[in-house]
Amino acid sequence: LLGLLAIDPMIVLPALTKVLAGGTAMMGVMDELTRAGQASAPFINESAGLLIHPLDIPGVAILISAGRRVAEVWKPAALGACVGITVRAVGHALIG
């Protein structure tokens, strides 16, 4: 399925790490993949539009725990983040 969509299968591990553990953990995975020779600087740049943002489980948990008033706006904030992430990912794909 990834091949049909022209998506590099190498993105699966960093993307899952990003969603489940956050950006710092994802960058750690990318660092290890780079040291092992499995990821390159162009790959990191291409995936940056999709992977570098605060919308992940730890980020949403922090937002919700910041207080009742902040927790009430997490849904519109998440929707706005999804739109922004999509626009940035498309921009990175078009430039790269």
Side-chain angles (χ1 to χ4, degrees):
L1 182 61
L2 294 175
L4 293 174
L5 297 173
I7 298 173
D8 188 352
M10 182 61 68
I11 194 114
V12 173
L13 179 60
L16 284 176
T17 304
K18 166 66 176 150
V19 171
L20 298 175
T24 305
M26 182 271 302
M27 289 307 291
V29 168
M30 290 294 253
D31 180 53
E32 288 300 319
L33 290 173
T34 304
R35 289 176 193 261
Q38 296 176 337
S40 62
F43 172 76
I44 294 171
N45 288 334
E46 291 167 3
S47 63
L50 182 65
L51 296 178
I52 299 177
H53 56 79
L55 185 62
D56 48 36
I57 292 173
V60 171
I62 290 169
L63 180 68
I64 290 173
S65 68
R68 185 172 168 239
R69 290 177 59 196
V70 176
E72 290 175 0
V73 299
W74 81 269
K75 289 180 185 177
L79 178 62
C82 289
V83 170
I85 292 165
T86 302
V87 168
R88 191 172 65 184
V90 168
H92 273 252
L94 293 175
I95 290 172

